[in-house]
Amino acid sequence: MIKSVMVMNTQGKPRLSKFYDYQPVEKQQELIRSVFGVLSSRAENVSNFMEADSIFGPDTRLVYKHYATLYFVLVFDSSENELAMLDLIQVFVETLDKCFKNVCELDIVYSYSKLHTILDEIIFGGQVLETSSTEVIKAVEEISKCSLSLSLYIYIYIYLLSSLFLLCVCGAGFFMSVHVINR
Amino acid sequence: MAGASIMETLFQRNLEDLIKASRQQQVRESLFISKSMDEIRREIKSTDLHTKSIALQKLSYLSSLHGLDMSFAAFHAIEVVSSPQFLHKKIGYHAITQSFNDDTPVMLLITNQLRKDMNSSNHFEVSLALECLSRIGNIDLARDLTPEVFTLLSSIKAFVKKKAIAVVLRVFEKYPDAVRVCFKRLVENLESSDPIIVSAVIGVFCELSLKDPRSYLPLAPEFYKILVDSKNNWLLIKVLKIFAKLASLEPRLAKRIADPICEHMRRTGAKSLMFECIKTVVSSLSEYESAVKLAVVKIQEFLVDDDPNLKYLGLHALSTIAPKHLWAVLENKEFVIKSLSDGDFNIKLESLRLVMAMVSESNVAEITRVLVNYALKSDPEFCNKILGSILSTCSKNLYEVIVDFDWYASLLGEMARIPHCQKGEEIENQLIDIGMRVKDVRPELVHVSRDLLIDPALLGNPFLHNILSAAAWLSGEYVEFSRNPFELMEALLQPRTSLLPSSIRAMYVQSTFKVLISYVHSYFLHKENVASSIDSGNQASEVPESFSQRKFPESSDLTSEAPACSEQDGDFNPRDSNQSFEDLSTENDGDVTVTHGQASTSASLGKNSFTQESIVNLLNLVELALGPLSRSHDVEIQERTKNVLGFIDLIKKEILNPIIQGEQYLAREGTEASNAVKLMRDAFSKELGPVSTSAQERVAVPDGLTLKEDLSDLEMICGDALLPLSSSFSLGSPQYGEKFDAPLSNLQSKDESEPLKESTSLLAEHRKRHGLYYLSSEMGEIVSNEYPPANDPMSQDKLSDDAADLVKLTEQSVASKKKPNNVKPRPVVLKLDGDEIAIAAKKPELNSGMLSGAVRDVLLGSEALPTSSRSNLSDKPSSNKKGKEKLNTDLPLESKDNLGGEEMPGGAASSRKSKHRSHGKERRHKSVGKNGEEKEDNSQKKETQKSNHRHGRHKPRQKADGPLNVVAQTPVIPDFLL
């Protein structure tokens, strides 16, 4: 089972955090900080695993990958394979890359909800359900279409209302001016 | 109102605006966030769902990435979820999964919403609801939504189905009775043609079997099929994980899977699958030589790979296999040693572990030599890791690997001097521990201690203070091995000791006392010898070598007066005393008080250092150094110092005023002082030994004692008092442990043996507590009757019988410990049975702790059901085999449906085997048949049948978890793989 997914930048700012066991927010922040503390002390070109028992309790492993300015971190227990988790990070990043066309940190900063949608398609309640990025993208696109169409509808609705409102104001102004001129 | 909400909607900042704005606020981000929080708090109260949902989204963003509390918005989240629009739902569910937990009060309100969404035609909505359930599902939600999950398990959309399968895990975990409803459909999905579905099911089983593998043995054939047929690495990894668990339970299964796993190892190119195969082999198939050999070959491939990850994992796998197949490690010895200096901390750590695994009696010296050299070179963190693992490996099983304890003692001393050493506490414990356990090493320990104490540089390092404390204790306790007590005294009293913390200073003072006593005692002894030699006309004062042996007096009278006399003796003249010394000594010979219990050292006597001058110098030195300490604010130091000074006053009178004595030819005073010295000496010369943690339990309740019922109250009170005591003393800190063990046991046995009234018991408790305190601080030298020192034979009279037993037992264990074949005989390591008992007792506890709460939930949950059949089950953990059989006869239907069959009696195995298989099939047939009929309109009768069926499925689990684990294991499990 996967316990947590974190994305943070090299300054230690969290960009995405998801805990599959409930953790109070203060605890979440503390965990992120301590993970970053260890990550930042690790050199380049060393193994991608980290002893996480002291941070997350016994029988937890942590694997991370460093892409440009971001660390992608997965925390999991003994029912997951270490190398497979490393691959999963790769899948996640690939998916992001396809979704955002050359993903960069800014994309991740600005698309909070899309990021979660993508992640939720790959990992469901701590279990890996989908490892093919094309499938994930397909689902994510459908979901965003689904929500976009609805929100579009709302915007149109608001737009109509406001234009109606403006029309009324204009109409009233026109009426008033006509009235004044008539005088 | 409507207008206002429209305005709000129009001018509301959405999430993107928020992020943009917050990124512009580089400096005062926290201010900005608190401002936006105010905004959100306002917006979230809006009646417009859109406004509300945007506010909620912003809130969950801030909560997740900036750590703000969002529990106040729980109800708003529920409102947002109830919106008909997908976008709102999505935001709402996201907020709920992120913030809800079991304590959220409004949790109950979402049940209906979840149900509605699970029945929705939009499969994305269904998926949202399932995701939500899988994250926050508690027992109520799981129970109420089980039917929906059951329906979704047979959904035609793979998108929904896989999520429904995954959610089953949470549902089972929280509401074990759901197993009866959903398990069958879950198993059916194993045969799905869609690999995604199969992988989801296997994922669920992998999680489940991790917690309670025994229950899933019957599914082995299905898993085996996947293992052989599947090409999907992801799936294979999970199946291997399951088999790793199952194979350790069922050896025949292990035999069966060994070949396919080897096949995968040979064929696959995927490292992850390869690693999983290796892991399975090293953890569960270590008996299969060929598989292990292949795995080791593959591990070697990993080791030589450039990828540090593979290197690390290879080492990791090696350390898993090390306990069983050490040859695999030895084969790669060079690589392992080389990896110690790798740049990667993980790899270094793994190779350190492996190096420690290679340690044996024959190579411990070389390996530690190499490691200590590495420690000297490496960074502080790794240095301490090395030291820690050396210490723990060497002390394992009571110093099993150590033959030459002198070497080990000097190694400990050497480790203490390593600059980065932070293992003071551990070294302290071991120094004292081997001092007490191994008699032969004491001279060397004293030597090592002296070197440590004498070095003023070490006092400045706070990490070493613990070690110095041990060194001080050792040199005080075993002072008779010291070559030069005077030098030792100077070391103990050197000015830089003011750098020590007070508790350790107190230890120093105490050791000073011991050294002083020993020194003065030798002095008196020397005097006597001189005297006697004068008497016999033999002027050449020879040192009696016969005294060098240390004897233990059979009895000692500690009730005699303590050296309380603190009379001031201001005007003494050390030079005067010199002349009368001879006189005094001649006078002394008449009353040879020292008849037994002499303990003197040939070494110290041999130096012939016992002139009047030297002893006066020593006394002056002590007085000078300890004088200021007698006004110390620390009670310990103050009290101990006062003891020493009082004692000095007592004896100084005699030593420094010899004229009076000499003239008057009164032996009385001399006797008094030397008596006092002797008494103290005797008190200190009692040997302290390790005390087994279970020693107290051996004290049998005396015959003819009836424990009344109202003693249970007493037990409650004493239980409180005893618990912390027994846990607080262990061999880790033996110098305290022993001190209060004897009085404690005394009191305790009193407690047990006499039906005390409550008030007396309270008194006893009080004494016990304070006894602990005084004894530990006083080091047991001046003790009144109530608190006899450890190992005092007098005090142990009351328990003499039991104590004798204990002694016998220890002797036996010591005897059995000896190894006859060593070239250099290994010194006896005092070993107590309690050591092992303590270790052994811990293990089952640990195991039961590891058994996951979830499966226990499964059991408890099912037992709690008010079915008639359950009443039988519910008392099973307490009852035993009988109950099991009864269950079988009571519920024939159940045992027939049972597909586990683990609880079948062993004898009937083969005859039932075939029957069983057919059951399995029958079950499948039945389930297929049932599937058609089994729609929502399940009749009551069907329900019960089904429940019985499921219930039967349940039973093996109960077996597995019950206290009869071992019994359940022996019955034969049908060959699943046929």
PDB file of all heavy atoms in Angstrom, chain A residues 1 47-49 78-81 112 117 121 127 150 154, chain B residues 85-86 90 94 163 166 207 238 241 272 276 309 344 346:
ATOM      1  N   MET A   1       0.839  -1.192   0.000  1.00  0.00           N
ATOM      2  CA  MET A   1       0.000   0.000   0.000  1.00  0.00           C
ATOM      3  C   MET A   1       0.884   1.256   0.000  1.00  0.00           C
ATOM      4  O   MET A   1       1.891   1.313   0.683  1.00  0.00           O
ATOM      5  CB  MET A   1      -0.837  -0.025   1.276  1.00  0.00           C
ATOM      6  CG  MET A   1      -1.787   1.093   1.321  1.00  0.00           C
ATOM      7  SD  MET A   1      -3.441   0.523   1.592  1.00  0.00           S
ATOM      8  CE  MET A   1      -4.069   1.839   2.568  1.00  0.00           C
ATOM      9  N   SER A  47      21.639   6.255  -4.571  1.00  0.00           N
ATOM     10  CA  SER A  47      20.422   5.466  -4.760  1.00  0.00           C
ATOM     11  C   SER A  47      19.193   6.295  -4.397  1.00  0.00           C
ATOM     12  O   SER A  47      19.275   7.275  -3.659  1.00  0.00           O
ATOM     13  CB  SER A  47      20.487   4.210  -3.910  1.00  0.00           C
ATOM     14  OG  SER A  47      20.613   4.558  -2.560  1.00  0.00           O
ATOM     15  N   ASN A  48      18.063   5.884  -4.930  1.00  0.00           N
ATOM     16  CA  ASN A  48      16.845   6.670  -4.762  1.00  0.00           C
ATOM     17  C   ASN A  48      16.027   6.240  -3.553  1.00  0.00           C
ATOM     18  O   ASN A  48      14.874   6.614  -3.417  1.00  0.00           O
ATOM     19  CB  ASN A  48      15.986   6.551  -6.017  1.00  0.00           C
ATOM     20  CG  ASN A  48      16.658   7.147  -7.212  1.00  0.00           C
ATOM     21  OD1 ASN A  48      17.235   6.459  -8.029  1.00  0.00           O
ATOM     22  ND2 ASN A  48      16.630   8.456  -7.285  1.00  0.00           N
ATOM     23  N   PHE A  49      16.622   5.434  -2.719  1.00  0.00           N
ATOM     24  CA  PHE A  49      15.879   4.969  -1.555  1.00  0.00           C
ATOM     25  C   PHE A  49      16.372   5.685  -0.320  1.00  0.00           C
ATOM     26  O   PHE A  49      17.486   6.184  -0.261  1.00  0.00           O
ATOM     27  CB  PHE A  49      16.053   3.463  -1.384  1.00  0.00           C
ATOM     28  CG  PHE A  49      15.621   2.707  -2.584  1.00  0.00           C
ATOM     29  CD1 PHE A  49      16.539   2.248  -3.506  1.00  0.00           C
ATOM     30  CD2 PHE A  49      14.279   2.498  -2.823  1.00  0.00           C
ATOM     31  CE1 PHE A  49      16.132   1.574  -4.630  1.00  0.00           C
ATOM     32  CE2 PHE A  49      13.870   1.832  -3.947  1.00  0.00           C
ATOM     33  CZ  PHE A  49      14.799   1.366  -4.856  1.00  0.00           C
ATOM     34  N   SER A  78       5.667  -2.711   2.803  1.00  0.00           N
ATOM     35  CA  SER A  78       6.321  -3.882   2.225  1.00  0.00           C
ATOM     36  C   SER A  78       5.482  -4.566   1.143  1.00  0.00           C
ATOM     37  O   SER A  78       5.963  -5.485   0.507  1.00  0.00           O
ATOM     38  CB  SER A  78       6.640  -4.885   3.317  1.00  0.00           C
ATOM     39  OG  SER A  78       5.458  -5.323   3.925  1.00  0.00           O
ATOM     40  N   SER A  79       4.248  -4.145   0.946  1.00  0.00           N
ATOM     41  CA  SER A  79       3.474  -4.810  -0.095  1.00  0.00           C
ATOM     42  C   SER A  79       3.690  -4.182  -1.469  1.00  0.00           C
ATOM     43  O   SER A  79       2.974  -4.502  -2.413  1.00  0.00           O
ATOM     44  CB  SER A  79       1.990  -4.821   0.263  1.00  0.00           C
ATOM     45  OG  SER A  79       1.511  -3.525   0.333  1.00  0.00           O
ATOM     46  N   GLU A  80       4.643  -3.287  -1.549  1.00  0.00           N
ATOM     47  CA  GLU A  80       4.985  -2.745  -2.864  1.00  0.00           C
ATOM     48  C   GLU A  80       6.449  -3.045  -3.173  1.00  0.00           C
ATOM     49  O   GLU A  80       7.282  -3.104  -2.271  1.00  0.00           O
ATOM     50  CB  GLU A  80       4.761  -1.230  -2.906  1.00  0.00           C
ATOM     51  CG  GLU A  80       3.363  -0.769  -2.541  1.00  0.00           C
ATOM     52  CD  GLU A  80       2.310  -1.162  -3.550  1.00  0.00           C
ATOM     53  OE1 GLU A  80       2.671  -1.467  -4.696  1.00  0.00           O
ATOM     54  OE2 GLU A  80       1.123  -1.162  -3.191  1.00  0.00           O
ATOM     55  N   ASN A  81       6.713  -3.172  -4.425  1.00  0.00           N
ATOM     56  CA  ASN A  81       8.078  -3.433  -4.871  1.00  0.00           C
ATOM     57  C   ASN A  81       8.822  -2.114  -5.064  1.00  0.00           C
ATOM     58  O   ASN A  81       8.292  -1.179  -5.662  1.00  0.00           O
ATOM     59  CB  ASN A  81       8.013  -4.228  -6.180  1.00  0.00           C
ATOM     60  CG  ASN A  81       9.370  -4.540  -6.730  1.00  0.00           C
ATOM     61  OD1 ASN A  81      10.102  -3.631  -7.131  1.00  0.00           O
ATOM     62  ND2 ASN A  81       9.713  -5.803  -6.748  1.00  0.00           N
ATOM     63  N   TYR A 112      -3.430  22.713  -9.562  1.00  0.00           N
ATOM     64  CA  TYR A 112      -3.606  21.917  -8.366  1.00  0.00           C
ATOM     65  C   TYR A 112      -4.617  20.805  -8.553  1.00  0.00           C
ATOM     66  O   TYR A 112      -4.353  19.639  -8.254  1.00  0.00           O
ATOM     67  CB  TYR A 112      -4.026  22.855  -7.236  1.00  0.00           C
ATOM     68  CG  TYR A 112      -4.474  22.184  -5.975  1.00  0.00           C
ATOM     69  CD1 TYR A 112      -3.543  21.704  -5.067  1.00  0.00           C
ATOM     70  CD2 TYR A 112      -5.825  22.057  -5.672  1.00  0.00           C
ATOM     71  CE1 TYR A 112      -3.947  21.103  -3.897  1.00  0.00           C
ATOM     72  CE2 TYR A 112      -6.240  21.457  -4.510  1.00  0.00           C
ATOM     73  CZ  TYR A 112      -5.291  20.982  -3.617  1.00  0.00           C
ATOM     74  OH  TYR A 112      -5.698  20.381  -2.467  1.00  0.00           O
ATOM     75  N   THR A 117      -6.362  15.065  -9.947  1.00  0.00           N
ATOM     76  CA  THR A 117      -7.159  14.172 -10.787  1.00  0.00           C
ATOM     77  C   THR A 117      -6.279  13.106 -11.420  1.00  0.00           C
ATOM     78  O   THR A 117      -6.633  11.918 -11.432  1.00  0.00           O
ATOM     79  CB  THR A 117      -7.858  14.989 -11.894  1.00  0.00           C
ATOM     80  OG1 THR A 117      -8.428  16.147 -11.312  1.00  0.00           O
ATOM     81  CG2 THR A 117      -8.934  14.178 -12.564  1.00  0.00           C
ATOM     82  N   GLU A 121      -6.226   8.939 -10.586  1.00  0.00           N
ATOM     83  CA  GLU A 121      -6.439   7.878 -11.573  1.00  0.00           C
ATOM     84  C   GLU A 121      -5.362   6.804 -11.475  1.00  0.00           C
ATOM     85  O   GLU A 121      -5.605   5.647 -11.785  1.00  0.00           O
ATOM     86  CB  GLU A 121      -6.463   8.466 -12.992  1.00  0.00           C
ATOM     87  CG  GLU A 121      -7.754   9.169 -13.332  1.00  0.00           C
ATOM     88  CD  GLU A 121      -8.984   8.325 -13.024  1.00  0.00           C
ATOM     89  OE1 GLU A 121      -9.042   7.172 -13.471  1.00  0.00           O
ATOM     90  OE2 GLU A 121      -9.886   8.828 -12.325  1.00  0.00           O
ATOM     91  N   GLN A 127      -3.757   2.177  -3.476  1.00  0.00           N
ATOM     92  CA  GLN A 127      -3.424   1.060  -4.350  1.00  0.00           C
ATOM     93  C   GLN A 127      -3.213   1.558  -5.773  1.00  0.00           C
ATOM     94  O   GLN A 127      -3.917   2.450  -6.226  1.00  0.00           O
ATOM     95  CB  GLN A 127      -4.566   0.040  -4.355  1.00  0.00           C
ATOM     96  CG  GLN A 127      -4.817  -0.564  -3.003  1.00  0.00           C
ATOM     97  CD  GLN A 127      -6.092  -1.345  -3.010  1.00  0.00           C
ATOM     98  OE1 GLN A 127      -6.172  -2.395  -3.616  1.00  0.00           O
ATOM     99  NE2 GLN A 127      -7.110  -0.827  -2.341  1.00  0.00           N
ATOM    100  N   LEU A 150     -19.734  21.701 -17.514  1.00  0.00           N
ATOM    101  CA  LEU A 150     -20.626  22.217 -16.498  1.00  0.00           C
ATOM    102  C   LEU A 150     -20.233  23.625 -16.099  1.00  0.00           C
ATOM    103  O   LEU A 150     -21.063  24.519 -15.998  1.00  0.00           O
ATOM    104  CB  LEU A 150     -20.599  21.296 -15.282  1.00  0.00           C
ATOM    105  CG  LEU A 150     -21.415  20.013 -15.497  1.00  0.00           C
ATOM    106  CD1 LEU A 150     -21.075  19.005 -14.431  1.00  0.00           C
ATOM    107  CD2 LEU A 150     -22.892  20.342 -15.476  1.00  0.00           C
ATOM    108  N   ILE A 154     -22.091  27.310 -16.410  1.00  0.00           N
ATOM    109  CA  ILE A 154     -22.277  28.311 -15.365  1.00  0.00           C
ATOM    110  C   ILE A 154     -21.815  29.674 -15.842  1.00  0.00           C
ATOM    111  O   ILE A 154     -22.502  30.685 -15.653  1.00  0.00           O
ATOM    112  CB  ILE A 154     -21.461  27.919 -14.119  1.00  0.00           C
ATOM    113  CG1 ILE A 154     -22.033  26.652 -13.514  1.00  0.00           C
ATOM    114  CG2 ILE A 154     -21.480  29.028 -13.079  1.00  0.00           C
ATOM    115  CD1 ILE A 154     -21.073  25.952 -12.615  1.00  0.00           C
TER     116      ILE A 154
ATOM    117  N   GLN B  85     -23.923  19.335  -9.729  1.00  0.00           N
ATOM    118  CA  GLN B  85     -22.906  19.515 -10.767  1.00  0.00           C
ATOM    119  C   GLN B  85     -21.628  18.754 -10.454  1.00  0.00           C
ATOM    120  O   GLN B  85     -21.165  18.719  -9.312  1.00  0.00           O
ATOM    121  CB  GLN B  85     -22.599  20.997 -10.920  1.00  0.00           C
ATOM    122  CG  GLN B  85     -23.749  21.705 -11.565  1.00  0.00           C
ATOM    123  CD  GLN B  85     -23.553  23.179 -11.593  1.00  0.00           C
ATOM    124  OE1 GLN B  85     -22.426  23.651 -11.536  1.00  0.00           O
ATOM    125  NE2 GLN B  85     -24.640  23.915 -11.676  1.00  0.00           N
ATOM    126  N   PHE B  86     -21.064  18.199 -11.475  1.00  0.00           N
ATOM    127  CA  PHE B  86     -19.906  17.346 -11.313  1.00  0.00           C
ATOM    128  C   PHE B  86     -18.714  18.105 -10.739  1.00  0.00           C
ATOM    129  O   PHE B  86     -18.021  17.621  -9.846  1.00  0.00           O
ATOM    130  CB  PHE B  86     -19.533  16.712 -12.653  1.00  0.00           C
ATOM    131  CG  PHE B  86     -18.348  15.804 -12.547  1.00  0.00           C
ATOM    132  CD1 PHE B  86     -18.489  14.540 -11.988  1.00  0.00           C
ATOM    133  CD2 PHE B  86     -17.103  16.208 -12.980  1.00  0.00           C
ATOM    134  CE1 PHE B  86     -17.400  13.706 -11.870  1.00  0.00           C
ATOM    135  CE2 PHE B  86     -16.008  15.379 -12.862  1.00  0.00           C
ATOM    136  CZ  PHE B  86     -16.164  14.126 -12.316  1.00  0.00           C
ATOM    137  N   LYS B  90     -16.766  17.208  -7.396  1.00  0.00           N
ATOM    138  CA  LYS B  90     -15.352  16.855  -7.415  1.00  0.00           C
ATOM    139  C   LYS B  90     -14.587  17.646  -6.345  1.00  0.00           C
ATOM    140  O   LYS B  90     -13.795  17.089  -5.575  1.00  0.00           O
ATOM    141  CB  LYS B  90     -14.785  17.167  -8.810  1.00  0.00           C
ATOM    142  CG  LYS B  90     -13.431  16.630  -9.065  1.00  0.00           C
ATOM    143  CD  LYS B  90     -13.161  16.551 -10.558  1.00  0.00           C
ATOM    144  CE  LYS B  90     -11.697  16.437 -10.849  1.00  0.00           C
ATOM    145  NZ  LYS B  90     -11.019  17.716 -11.010  1.00  0.00           N
ATOM    146  N   HIS B  94     -13.010  16.023  -2.978  1.00  0.00           N
ATOM    147  CA  HIS B  94     -11.588  16.220  -2.728  1.00  0.00           C
ATOM    148  C   HIS B  94     -11.361  16.774  -1.330  1.00  0.00           C
ATOM    149  O   HIS B  94     -10.492  16.301  -0.582  1.00  0.00           O
ATOM    150  CB  HIS B  94     -11.004  17.172  -3.777  1.00  0.00           C
ATOM    151  CG  HIS B  94      -9.559  17.472  -3.567  1.00  0.00           C
ATOM    152  ND1 HIS B  94      -8.582  16.540  -3.761  1.00  0.00           N
ATOM    153  CD2 HIS B  94      -8.939  18.598  -3.124  1.00  0.00           C
ATOM    154  CE1 HIS B  94      -7.417  17.079  -3.469  1.00  0.00           C
ATOM    155  NE2 HIS B  94      -7.593  18.319  -3.085  1.00  0.00           N
ATOM    156  N   LYS B 163     -12.227   0.216  -9.485  1.00  0.00           N
ATOM    157  CA  LYS B 163     -12.255   1.031  -8.273  1.00  0.00           C
ATOM    158  C   LYS B 163     -13.109   0.376  -7.200  1.00  0.00           C
ATOM    159  O   LYS B 163     -12.793   0.467  -6.003  1.00  0.00           O
ATOM    160  CB  LYS B 163     -12.765   2.431  -8.602  1.00  0.00           C
ATOM    161  CG  LYS B 163     -11.767   3.142  -9.495  1.00  0.00           C
ATOM    162  CD  LYS B 163     -12.029   4.593  -9.677  1.00  0.00           C
ATOM    163  CE  LYS B 163     -10.849   5.180 -10.465  1.00  0.00           C
ATOM    164  NZ  LYS B 163     -10.981   6.597 -10.700  1.00  0.00           N
ATOM    165  N   ALA B 166     -10.964  -2.154  -5.616  1.00  0.00           N
ATOM    166  CA  ALA B 166      -9.979  -1.573  -4.708  1.00  0.00           C
ATOM    167  C   ALA B 166     -10.625  -1.100  -3.417  1.00  0.00           C
ATOM    168  O   ALA B 166     -10.019  -1.189  -2.342  1.00  0.00           O
ATOM    169  CB  ALA B 166      -9.262  -0.417  -5.383  1.00  0.00           C
ATOM    170  N   GLU B 207      -2.665  -7.091  -0.286  1.00  0.00           N
ATOM    171  CA  GLU B 207      -2.793  -6.344   0.966  1.00  0.00           C
ATOM    172  C   GLU B 207      -3.392  -7.216   2.064  1.00  0.00           C
ATOM    173  O   GLU B 207      -2.948  -7.200   3.207  1.00  0.00           O
ATOM    174  CB  GLU B 207      -3.697  -5.118   0.769  1.00  0.00           C
ATOM    175  CG  GLU B 207      -3.164  -4.107  -0.206  1.00  0.00           C
ATOM    176  CD  GLU B 207      -1.993  -3.333   0.346  1.00  0.00           C
ATOM    177  OE1 GLU B 207      -1.808  -3.321   1.568  1.00  0.00           O
ATOM    178  OE2 GLU B 207      -1.243  -2.754  -0.461  1.00  0.00           O
ATOM    179  N   LYS B 238       2.976  -8.666  -7.644  1.00  0.00           N
ATOM    180  CA  LYS B 238       2.001  -8.778  -6.558  1.00  0.00           C
ATOM    181  C   LYS B 238       1.752 -10.237  -6.196  1.00  0.00           C
ATOM    182  O   LYS B 238       1.627 -10.583  -5.011  1.00  0.00           O
ATOM    183  CB  LYS B 238       0.688  -8.103  -6.969  1.00  0.00           C
ATOM    184  CG  LYS B 238       0.776  -6.605  -7.028  1.00  0.00           C
ATOM    185  CD  LYS B 238       0.634  -6.021  -5.654  1.00  0.00           C
ATOM    186  CE  LYS B 238       0.829  -4.514  -5.682  1.00  0.00           C
ATOM    187  NZ  LYS B 238       0.733  -3.924  -4.356  1.00  0.00           N
ATOM    188  N   LYS B 241       4.459 -11.496  -4.165  1.00  0.00           N
ATOM    189  CA  LYS B 241       4.340 -11.017  -2.780  1.00  0.00           C
ATOM    190  C   LYS B 241       3.407 -11.934  -2.001  1.00  0.00           C
ATOM    191  O   LYS B 241       3.669 -12.261  -0.840  1.00  0.00           O
ATOM    192  CB  LYS B 241       3.782  -9.590  -2.759  1.00  0.00           C
ATOM    193  CG  LYS B 241       4.724  -8.580  -3.321  1.00  0.00           C
ATOM    194  CD  LYS B 241       5.094  -7.548  -2.287  1.00  0.00           C
ATOM    195  CE  LYS B 241       6.043  -6.544  -2.853  1.00  0.00           C
ATOM    196  NZ  LYS B 241       7.219  -6.330  -2.028  1.00  0.00           N
ATOM    197  N   SER B 272      12.528  -4.911 -11.811  1.00  0.00           N
ATOM    198  CA  SER B 272      11.626  -4.943 -10.659  1.00  0.00           C
ATOM    199  C   SER B 272      11.120  -6.360 -10.421  1.00  0.00           C
ATOM    200  O   SER B 272      11.083  -6.830  -9.283  1.00  0.00           O
ATOM    201  CB  SER B 272      10.461  -3.979 -10.865  1.00  0.00           C
ATOM    202  OG  SER B 272       9.831  -4.234 -12.091  1.00  0.00           O
ATOM    203  N   GLU B 276      11.887  -8.814  -7.273  1.00  0.00           N
ATOM    204  CA  GLU B 276      10.824  -9.440  -6.497  1.00  0.00           C
ATOM    205  C   GLU B 276      11.053 -10.948  -6.399  1.00  0.00           C
ATOM    206  O   GLU B 276      10.833 -11.558  -5.349  1.00  0.00           O
ATOM    207  CB  GLU B 276       9.461  -9.130  -7.137  1.00  0.00           C
ATOM    208  CG  GLU B 276       8.293  -9.359  -6.219  1.00  0.00           C
ATOM    209  CD  GLU B 276       8.391  -8.581  -4.920  1.00  0.00           C
ATOM    210  OE1 GLU B 276       8.641  -7.368  -4.985  1.00  0.00           O
ATOM    211  OE2 GLU B 276       8.235  -9.188  -3.857  1.00  0.00           O
ATOM    212  N   ASN B 309      20.869   2.108  -7.226  1.00  0.00           N
ATOM    213  CA  ASN B 309      19.655   1.495  -6.685  1.00  0.00           C
ATOM    214  C   ASN B 309      19.771  -0.020  -6.664  1.00  0.00           C
ATOM    215  O   ASN B 309      19.411  -0.664  -5.679  1.00  0.00           O
ATOM    216  CB  ASN B 309      18.445   1.868  -7.538  1.00  0.00           C
ATOM    217  CG  ASN B 309      18.088   3.311  -7.369  1.00  0.00           C
ATOM    218  OD1 ASN B 309      18.246   3.867  -6.286  1.00  0.00           O
ATOM    219  ND2 ASN B 309      17.643   3.939  -8.441  1.00  0.00           N
ATOM    220  N   ASP B 344      27.396   6.483  -1.170  1.00  0.00           N
ATOM    221  CA  ASP B 344      25.982   6.480  -0.831  1.00  0.00           C
ATOM    222  C   ASP B 344      25.785   5.942   0.582  1.00  0.00           C
ATOM    223  O   ASP B 344      26.216   4.836   0.921  1.00  0.00           O
ATOM    224  CB  ASP B 344      25.252   5.583  -1.837  1.00  0.00           C
ATOM    225  CG  ASP B 344      23.758   5.749  -1.746  1.00  0.00           C
ATOM    226  OD1 ASP B 344      23.293   6.243  -0.708  1.00  0.00           O
ATOM    227  OD2 ASP B 344      23.074   5.404  -2.713  1.00  0.00           O
ATOM    228  N   ASN B 346      23.155   4.866   2.083  1.00  0.00           N
ATOM    229  CA  ASN B 346      22.364   3.633   2.141  1.00  0.00           C
ATOM    230  C   ASN B 346      23.229   2.413   1.898  1.00  0.00           C
ATOM    231  O   ASN B 346      23.117   1.406   2.599  1.00  0.00           O
ATOM    232  CB  ASN B 346      21.283   3.638   1.061  1.00  0.00           C
ATOM    233  CG  ASN B 346      20.220   4.642   1.356  1.00  0.00           C
ATOM    234  OD1 ASN B 346      20.064   5.044   2.492  1.00  0.00           O
ATOM    235  ND2 ASN B 346      19.510   5.056   0.325  1.00  0.00           N
TER     236      ASN B 346
END
